[in-house]
């Protein structure tokens, strides 16, 4: 449960965000840690009048809340949706996207229709429910329908609610399979809102794309054809992404006409420490530890601050460390006694009432500092915030600006600080601000046609309503081929009228929409028999192997045994001061090259591969410092994965001179592979744990020096394909990241990988720079033939 005590907030901050960075840099040792400061200017704006079709009661309610009218981009999106045209609004954080759909959606509900609102998180659904309820319109019956909804309330929601707020998981597992219970709701469905849709990427996004197609099919069954509005942080090619996600043509609204305060954005690199990792490589101070220091300083200066971290455990750790440092100030007479109680952690796993209490306390100012996972990245209203700390690259520029935009939402100036982790991509970004500022955000990658995603959803659709030939167009061009495979495997039965699900099992259990598929492994506490949760089978090898540290709802457990045959991981509560990282060895074979072109003197390929991976050991690292404590061996079976990869080759003619100079070609390729995996997330909207790689001086399928980077999901996730499309930019950035790192022989900030099964050996930093320079060079033209 969150550990904080309500206190009386101050009337105003004593140190505003404009001088907050100077306050942090008041410590002389920190002067060299800021690598760049970007000033984003304020923007003025003027609202337009309300559309004529908006009920006067709503106009009055919003006016009483301080909303005199709509910004031009809000009015444009609202008008399109009112005319029942599908639209995606992709504008900046705090640009009022929610009002763009609230105005037409609430209007539709008051006119007798129903509205379905989808969000990735329960926190955002609760926040949106509060906004709807504050309108205080009796005819508007809004309710959330998610895992926190008591069962006794669910029947009321089905029968009476006309504005239902839920998430893709509930839509997949409950609303669609039990569609007959919702028939009155479906018949009147006018609008579907898909909020914060930039979070639907990769395999998860591909699953959501198929869930939305199943939703469209069920709506058609009840005679409804709702209009879709998608809301996103600024995204590259938003219309194309929205069409891929929904299967529908989409209008775009992308010009942000809202006002905003000025933002000071600092890039911050923690210093190298005396600690050493593998091969004697220096380690940087962990970003979470650095964040706790900065959060304590800002809270002590009365600056309302949100610190984003990468994991639930890190959220708890940063909050506890911050409170301890503030307690030291209390003991020294430098801070009021209640100051440590004004810092808390916020993350998934808390009870609903605890999360709502934290949100309210932070909005009111009772809490000054909050350490959170990305659970608060999305549009939860936390206006009045002065500063945001971001501990580690959040994965995309869209997420970066989404998190930074939490501050300054009330129009005041704001501070945002990106604190680099000991990682190649973080290192690159804090030394290349041009990769962050003044550039569009990434295109969102997903692949709804992935047969390993499509197959389970075709089964789920057939269980909801037998599939007909007319349905195939909804699910895309590969549906017919995938259906044939499902019939051959006995998953579906084909008859003259279509395809039928005949099993007594739940078809929805086939699709693990937030995982990678496979039979789930149950995580059980040995002493009590308590089921803590489940992990999909592929992830079990790396997250709940014997000896792993497993975190569940703030509690830390040690895995005593992983029994894959029984599908169970037995754990016991513990308080280790270390974290664990699984390491694997990988073999890869080329099945088919789908596309290729020359790259320098070499060739670049994209195609299908078969990957055999085996987790062989795990590292122990001290939680606070990152210090390497040991490498423990494991005996787990190999796993085979058919997926997509991007790979490049160099002929012997291009590498012979490097070998003659004494460079280790294998170590150079290995280092280039690690660094390129670290940098691909900048171009493919993925996490480095979503992808893998293999490198070899002589691969048996190519006969050449080859470096592979592959999608870590069955059938592929679109990441390698994006790498192929952006190869020149991606590999150039990889070389620059290696070159800009201040270490001599290689470290976790450039060429070392925490999941390398070969113990990060051999690695050749200088060789990687030379190898990539050769690959990226323009080959000399062949000698001309003399004319005769």
């Amino acid at each position: 449960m969150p550990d904080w005590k309500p206190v009386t907030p101050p009337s105003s901050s004593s140190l505003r965000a404009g001088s907050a960075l100077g306050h942090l840099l008041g410590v002389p040792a920190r002067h060299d840690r800021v690598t760049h400061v970007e000033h984003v200017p304020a923007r003025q704006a003027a609202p337009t009048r309300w559309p004529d079709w908006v009920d006067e009661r709503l106009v009055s309610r919003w006016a009483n809340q301080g909303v005199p009218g709509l910004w031009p981009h809000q009015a444009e999106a609202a008008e399109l949706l009112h005319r029942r045209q599908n639209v995606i609004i992709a504008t900046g954080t705090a640009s009022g996207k929610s009002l763009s759909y609230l105005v037409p959606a609430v209007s539709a509900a008051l006119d007798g229709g129903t509205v379905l609102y989808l969000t990735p998180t329960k926190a955002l659904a609760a926040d949106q429910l509060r906004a709807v309820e504050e309108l205080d319109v009796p005819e508007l019956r809004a309710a959330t329908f998610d895992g926190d909804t008591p069962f006794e309330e669910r029947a009321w929601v089905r029968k009476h609610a006309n504005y239902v707020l839920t998430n893709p998981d509930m839509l997949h597992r409950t609303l669609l399979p039990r569609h007959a219970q919702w028939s009155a709701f479906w018949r009147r469905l006018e609008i579907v809102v898909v909020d914060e849709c930039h979070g639907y990427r990769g395999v998860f996004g591909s699953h959501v794309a198929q869930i939305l197609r199943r939703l469209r099919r069920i709506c058609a069954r009840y005679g409804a054809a709702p209009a879709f509005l998608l809301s996103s942080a600024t995204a590259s090619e938003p219309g194309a992404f929205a069409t891929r996600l929904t299967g529908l043509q989409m209008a775009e609204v992308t010009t942000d006409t809202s006002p905003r305060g000025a933002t000071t954005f600092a890039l911050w690199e923690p210093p190298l420490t005396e600690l050493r990792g593998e091969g004697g490589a220096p380690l940087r101070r962990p970003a979470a530890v650095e964040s706790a220091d900065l959060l304590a300083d800002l809270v002590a200066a009365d600056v309302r601050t949100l610190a984003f971290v990468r994991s639930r455990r890190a959220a708890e750790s940063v909050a506890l460390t911050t409170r301890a440092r503030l307690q030291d100030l209390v003991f020294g007479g430098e801070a009021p006694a209640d100051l440590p109680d004004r810092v808390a952690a916020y993350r998934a796993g808390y009870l609903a009432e605890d999360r709502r209490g934290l949100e309210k306390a932070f909005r009111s100012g009772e809490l000054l500092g909050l350490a959170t996972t990305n659970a608060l990245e999305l549009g939860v209203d936390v206006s009045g915030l002065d500063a945001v700390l971001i501990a580690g690259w959040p994965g995309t520029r869209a997420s970066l600006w989404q998190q930074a935009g939490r501050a300054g939402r009330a129009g005041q100036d704001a501070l945002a600080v990106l604190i680099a982790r000991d990682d190649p991509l973080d290192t690159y970004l804090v030394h290349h601000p041009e990769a962050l500022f003044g550039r569009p955000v990434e295109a969102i990658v997903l692949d709804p046609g992935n047969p390993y995603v499509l197959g389970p959803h075709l089964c789920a659709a057939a269980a909801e309503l037998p599939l007909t030939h007319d349905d195939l167009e909804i699910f895309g061009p590969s549906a017919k081929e995938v259906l044939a495979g499902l019939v051959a495997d006995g998953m579906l039965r084909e008859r003259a009228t279509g395809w039928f699900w005949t099993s007594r099992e739940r078809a929805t259990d086939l699709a693990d929409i937030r995982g990678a598929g496979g039979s789930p492994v149950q995580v059980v506490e040995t002493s009590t028999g308590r089921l803590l949760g489940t992990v999909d089978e592929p992830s079990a090898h790396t997250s709940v192997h014997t000896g792993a540290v497993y975190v569940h709802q703030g509690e830390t457990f040690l895995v005593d045994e992983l029994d894959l045959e029984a599908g169970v991981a037995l754990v016991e509560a513990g308080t280790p001061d270390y974290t664990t990282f699984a390491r694997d060895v990988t073999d890869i074979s080329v099945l088919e090259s789908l596309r290729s072109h020359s790259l320098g003197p070499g060739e670049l390929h994209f195609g299908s591969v078969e990957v055999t991976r085996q987790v062989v050991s795990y590292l122990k690292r001290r939680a606070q410092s990152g210090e390497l404590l040991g490498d423990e061996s494991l005996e787990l079976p190999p796993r085979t994965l058919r997926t997509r990869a991007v790979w490049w080759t160099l002929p012997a003619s291009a590498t012979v001179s490097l070998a003659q100079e004494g460079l280790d070609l294998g170590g150079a390729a290995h280092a280039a592979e690690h660094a390129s995996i670290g940098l691909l997330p900048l171009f493919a909207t993925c996490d480095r744990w979503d992808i893998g790689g293999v490198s070899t001086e002589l691969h048996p399928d190519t006969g050449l020096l080859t470096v592979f980077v592959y999608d870590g999901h069955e059938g592929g996730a679109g990441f390698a394909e994006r790498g192929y499309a952006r190869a020149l930019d991606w590999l150039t950035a990889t070389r620059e990241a290696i070159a800009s790192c201040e270490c001599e022989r290689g470290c976790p900030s450039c060429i070392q990988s925490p999941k390398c099964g070969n113990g990060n050996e051999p690695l050749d930093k200088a060789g990687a720079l030379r190898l990539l320079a050769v690959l990226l060079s323009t080959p000399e033209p062949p000698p001309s033939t003399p004319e005769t």
Side-chain angles (χ1 to χ4, degrees):
M1 177 180 291
D3 183 19
W4 60 276
K5 303 171 185 176
V7 295
T8 303
S11 57
S12 63
S13 291
S14 59
L15 181 68
R16 304 311 298 176
S19 55
L21 181 60
H23 175 71
L24 294 179
L25 294 177
V27 179
R30 292 176 178 166
H31 290 174
D32 294 336
R33 301 183 193 181
V34 174
T35 60
H36 178 79
V37 177
E38 186 83 8
H39 297 284
V40 182
R43 181 176 61 213
Q44 303 300 317
T48 64
R49 59 187 296 274
W50 289 97
D52 294 336
W53 45 265
V54 182
D55 190 300
E56 282 299 325
R57 290 178 298 168
L58 298 178
V59 173
S60 298
R61 300 291 198 282
W62 276 310
N64 291 337
Q65 295 176 11
V67 182
L70 299 177
W71 307 119
H73 68 278
Q74 293 174 320
E76 181 184 357
E79 187 64 40
L80 287 167
L81 190 58
H82 175 68
R83 291 193 257 117
R84 300 300 183 261
Q85 185 170 347
N86 302 312
V87 58
I88 178 170
I89 178 168
T91 55
T93 305
S95 60
K97 291 186 288 292
S98 60
L99 207 57
S100 302
Y101 55 77
L102 272 175
V103 172
V106 171
S107 298
L110 295 184
D111 288 340
T114 59
V115 175
L116 182 67
Y117 170 91
L118 295 174
T119 171
T121 68
K122 296 175 185 177
L124 185 51
D127 190 68
Q128 288 296 306
L129 178 64
R130 180 177 56 83
V132 173
E133 290 179 335
E134 285 177 352
L135 292 172
D136 193 24
V137 178
E139 301 95 317
L140 188 59
R141 300 180 301 278
T144 55
F145 192 88
D146 56 32
D148 292 338
T149 306
F151 281 94
E152 58 270 20
E153 292 183 16
R154 296 188 179 192
W156 184 93
V157 177
R158 286 196 302 269
K159 293 178 181 179
H160 302 292
N162 56 9
Y163 198 113
V164 174
L165 303 97
T166 188
N167 52 57
D169 309 76
M170 290 296 286
L171 188 60
H172 166 61
R173 292 194 170 274
T174 303
L175 275 75
L176 294 179
R178 300 174 185 171
H179 59 85
Q181 298 177 1
W182 292 80
S183 58
F185 182 84
W186 301 129
R187 287 190 183 98
R188 296 181 292 126
L189 187 59
E190 295 281 343
I191 289 174
V192 176
V193 176
V194 184
D195 205 359
E196 305 292 355
C197 63
H198 55 276
Y200 299 133
R201 61 180 186 264
V203 171
F204 178 44
S206 301
H207 279 292
V208 173
Q210 293 300 342
I211 292 170
L212 293 179
R213 284 157 174 77
R214 286 164 51 201
L215 170 64
R216 289 171 49 208
R217 180 171 173 263
I218 291 297
C219 289
R221 164 66 176 79
Y222 292 96
F228 282 70
L229 181 139
L230 277 62
S231 170
S232 170
T234 304
S236 177
E237 304 171 358
F241 159 68
T243 295
R244 206 167 189 184
L245 184 65
T246 64
L248 299 166
Q249 290 301 309
M250 288 275 169
E252 293 181 356
V253 175
T254 58
T255 301
D256 190 340
T257 58
S258 63
R260 70 177 181 197
T263 299
T264 298
F265 206 129
L267 304 183
W268 189 290
E269 185 174 43
L272 292 170
T273 68
E274 297 300 317
L275 297 174
R276 291 293 182 266
E278 290 181 299
L283 300 176
R284 292 196 182 277
R285 194 166 190 245
V289 177
E290 192 86 345
S291 297
D293 274 357
L294 301 186
L295 181 58
D297 282 2
L298 290 170
V299 168
D302 220 11
V303 177
R304 290 177 59 189
T305 306
L306 195 60
F308 283 102
V309 296
R310 292 290 297 258
S311 69
R312 296 179 180 186
R313 180 172 181 171
E316 302 285 0
S317 174
V318 168
L320 287 171
T321 304
T322 302
R323 289 163 64 111
R325 289 175 186 174
L326 291 173
Q327 193 64 54
D328 290 341
L329 296 179
V330 172
F331 289 149
E334 302 175 57
D338 67 350
L339 193 59
D341 295 327
R342 301 184 67 189
V343 174
Y346 180 103
R347 56 169 180 76
Y350 288 159
L351 296 176
E353 56 267 29
D354 293 331
R355 294 198 304 270
R356 302 297 91 81
L358 287 168
E359 293 160 17
K360 181 179 179 181
F362 200 50
R363 278 196 301 271
S364 69
E366 289 182 36
L367 286 174
L368 267 178
L370 206 58
T372 178
T373 61
N374 61 1
L376 275 182
E377 173 184 321
L378 305 180
V380 177
D381 183 9
V382 286
S383 58
L385 207 60
D386 300 312
V388 168
L389 305 174
I390 304 169
W393 169 245
T396 65
R397 284 187 289 271
S399 289
L400 179 75
W401 288 108
Q402 192 79 6
Q403 293 182 3
R406 294 295 91 194
R409 290 174 68 87
Q412 78 272 28
D413 292 348
L415 170 68
V417 183
L418 172 62
I419 304 162
R421 291 180 301 147
D422 210 355
D423 177 89
L425 181 52
D426 288 42
T427 301
Y428 175 82
L429 290 172
V430 295
H431 290 284
H432 292 80
E434 71 279 2
L436 296 176
F437 304 110
R439 296 187 62 176
V441 299
E442 308 85 351
I444 303 171
V445 177
L446 70 156
D447 181 15
N450 179 340
Y452 296 93
V453 171
L454 176 56
H457 287 285
L458 288 174
C459 290
E464 290 153 7
L465 290 170
L467 281 164
T468 68
H469 288 277
D470 291 339
D471 292 329
L472 299 188
E473 184 178 352
I474 294 178
F475 293 100
S478 56
K480 189 171 184 179
E481 181 181 350
V482 173
L483 279 170
L486 294 171
V487 171
D489 292 340
M491 304 292 285
L492 294 178
R493 182 174 298 171
E494 185 176 8
R495 296 175 181 166
T497 54
W499 293 266
F500 292 75
W501 174 257
T502 58
S503 172
R504 294 183 178 180
E505 304 298 325
R506 284 170 50 95
T508 52
D509 290 342
L510 296 173
D512 178 12
I513 73 171
R514 294 182 187 264
S519 301
V521 171
Q522 295 184 321
V523 183
V524 177
E525 188 173 22
T526 306
S527 58
T528 65
R530 177 170 59 127
L531 176 63
L532 300 178
T534 60
V535 178
D536 60 86
E537 194 274 339
S539 299
H541 290 241
T542 56
S543 62
V544 290
H545 56 76
T546 300
V549 175
Y550 177 76
V551 181
H552 174 75
Q553 295 191 2
E555 297 181 78
T556 304
F557 298 85
L558 284 170
V559 180
D560 290 332
E561 180 186 1
L562 171 61
D563 187 337
L564 290 171
E565 290 187 6
V568 64
L570 300 176
V571 305
E572 282 291 2
T575 56
D577 63 347
Y578 59 86
T579 57
T580 53
F581 300 89
R583 317 179 70 153
D584 59 34
V585 293
T586 307
D587 290 320
I588 193 166
S589 58
V590 175
L591 300 178
E592 181 183 13
S593 176
L594 299 173
R595 297 196 288 276
S596 66
H597 63 75
S598 60
L599 183 63
E603 283 193 337
L604 183 77
H605 294 260
F606 168 72
S608 299
V609 296
E610 185 172 86
V611 179
T612 301
R613 300 171 59 192
Q614 184 174 16
V615 173
V616 295
S617 67
Y618 65 97
L619 294 180
K620 291 182 178 179
R621 290 191 182 278
R622 197 173 300 281
Q624 288 295 312
S625 66
E627 178 186 3
L628 180 64
L629 300 177
D631 186 355
E632 305 287 338
S633 61
L634 291 169
E635 293 185 7
L636 286 167
R639 298 187 66 256
T640 300
L641 176 75
R642 288 203 170 198
T643 185
R644 299 292 177 90
V646 54
W647 65 93
W648 52 267
T649 63
L650 279 175
S653 59
T655 60
V656 63
S657 61
L658 301 180
Q660 290 173 347
E661 293 173 22
L663 290 178
D664 179 356
L665 290 179
H670 194 194
E673 171 217 326
H674 282 181
S676 61
I677 289 172
L679 268 291
L680 184 57
L682 184 61
F683 302 91
T685 61
C686 62
D687 188 276
R688 72 176 297 163
W689 299 92
D690 290 326
I691 52 181
V694 175
S695 57
T696 175
E697 187 175 347
L698 186 66
H699 191 272
D701 292 338
T702 66
L704 302 168
L705 183 148
T706 310
V707 174
F708 295 86
V709 176
Y710 61 86
D711 292 347
H713 300 275
E714 197 74 43
F719 306 137
E721 186 172 15
R722 189 69 181 173
Y724 177 83
R726 298 289 306 278
L728 188 60
D729 293 336
W730 165 40
L731 295 173
T732 299
T734 298
R735 188 179 188 280
E736 291 175 357
I738 300 172
S740 65
C741 186
E742 59 195 281
C743 73
E744 291 185 14
R745 298 177 54 248
C747 70
S749 291
C750 57
I751 62 172
Q752 287 192 350
S753 168
K755 57 179 183 175
C756 177
N758 296 316
N760 283 298
E761 290 291 343
L763 292 176
D764 187 335
K765 179 178 179 179
L769 289 170
R770 293 290 305 280
L771 200 64
L772 288 167
V774 169
L775 179 70
L776 296 168
S777 65
T778 303
E780 295 182 9
S784 58
T785 303
E787 295 184 5
T788 56

